[in-house]
Amino acid sequence: MSNIAGMRRGSRRGFTMVEIILVVVIIMALAMVVAPKLTGQARKQRENITKISMTAIKSALQNFETEMSRFPTTQEGLQALVTRPSGIDEADWPGQKLEELPRDAFGTPFRYACPSDNGMDYDLISAGADRKFGTEDDIANYDRKNREENL
């Protein structure tokens, strides 16, 4: 009889604290992955990553300008930060400023123009989430709203 009573107690055993903690951690990890997608935060995160990438490109462009006394032309583009443009002698080229041609967090190459059409030294633009340039979600190194008001 004591055997049967022992089996009953064993079969009524609950979850251990470690099991409960493990389940809570798994649920939290899933929530961290799913929640941004459900709340629209994924797009905002990509916009922020794109802005950070633009800051790195701006720094590389500034470095190029400091060493060359000019920014890359529109024709040379951002490629001038990765490989030596054909119009610059090897001895004059300041060297590679970026490892590879950058893309925004949405997978689209940045658009670069120098001289700028917007009162800046150059224009640096991401097409944004819709991957189309010239739309409202573009991310640029100039204030797009003020530019549109002045047009």
Side-chain angles (χ1 to χ4, degrees):
M1 197 167 206
S2 65
N3 236 356
I4 295 174
M7 288 175 62
R8 282 188 196 158
R9 272 186 252 145
S11 65
R12 293 177 50 180
R13 194 187 99 174
F15 294 106
T16 67
M17 185 61 80
V18 173
E19 291 169 326
I20 293 171
I21 290 173
L22 183 60
V23 169
V24 170
V25 167
I26 290 170
I27 291 171
M28 288 175 61
L30 288 172
M32 289 175 62
V33 171
V34 174
K37 294 182 188 303
L38 296 176
T39 62
Q41 290 300 309
R43 178 178 171 169
K44 190 68 175 165
Q45 288 173 346
R46 286 184 176 190
E47 289 172 357
N48 289 337
I49 291 168
T50 296
K51 290 175 185 177
I52 291 168
S53 296
M54 289 177 80
T55 300
I57 296 166
K58 290 178 197 179
S59 178
L61 286 165
Q62 191 64 45
N63 202 344
F64 183 98
E65 192 269 340
T66 298
E67 295 178 8
M68 294 296 298
S69 300
R70 67 173 182 85
F71 289 102
T73 65
T74 300
Q75 183 179 0
E76 293 169 335
L78 296 176
Q79 184 68 41
L81 303 174
V82 179
T83 58
R84 180 177 59 86
S86 60
I88 299 176
D89 291 334
E90 191 170 343
D92 295 332
W93 188 52
Q96 185 177 23
K97 302 298 175 204
L98 296 173
E99 291 293 318
E100 60 187 10
L101 243 123
R103 290 181 172 267
D104 64 18
F106 302 99
T108 307
F110 287 94
R111 182 175 284 175
Y112 171 81
C114 183
S116 169
D117 294 327
N118 302 291
M120 307 293 289
D121 291 324
Y122 54 84
D123 292 339
L124 183 60
I125 308 166
S126 160
D130 67 1
R131 296 180 172 105
K132 296 177 185 171
F133 287 98
T135 58
E136 195 169 306
D137 71 338
D138 289 2
I139 303 167
N141 67 322
Y142 55 87
D143 185 357
R144 293 184 61 243
K145 289 181 182 175
N146 286 341
R147 178 182 184 268
E148 291 168 3
E149 290 171 6
N150 294 331
L151 290 179

